[in-house]
Amino acid sequence: MTQLNQLELQNIRHLIGSHETAYQKLQSYAQQATDPQIKQMFQQSAQDAQNTKQQLMSFLQ
């Protein structure tokens, strides 16, 4: 794999932060939801954000 330049590294870090923020918000929304379908939707979306964050972090290794 080729090395990342500074701009690419900065963009990946920004995306990681954005996905972490989305994960935290979606988890919070899921905790507040009373409708089981809405709760499940938020939980799945939170998990998707977490998975994407992990994939992005793999580029930094």
Side-chain angles (χ1 to χ4, degrees):
M1 185 172 163
T2 61
Q3 283 194 322
L4 299 173
N5 66 36
Q6 285 300 111
L7 180 59
E8 292 166 333
L9 183 61
Q10 184 179 15
N11 286 337
I12 289 175
R13 286 182 176 158
H14 178 73
L15 288 168
I16 289 169
S18 295
H19 281 82
E20 176 61 25
T21 299
Y23 170 76
Q24 295 296 332
K25 286 183 177 186
L26 289 163
Q27 284 287 89
S28 176
Y29 299 157
Q31 289 173 357
Q32 296 173 45
T34 55
D35 183 298
Q37 288 181 307
I38 299 296
K39 184 180 212 64
Q40 182 180 16
M41 181 194 70
F42 282 135
Q43 289 171 333
Q44 182 60 54
S45 295
Q47 187 60 55
D48 291 344
Q50 184 75 344
N51 292 344
T52 301
K53 177 189 153 194
Q54 292 299 325
Q55 289 177 325
L56 288 166
M57 289 179 69
S58 73
F59 290 115
L60 301 180
Q61 297 176 354

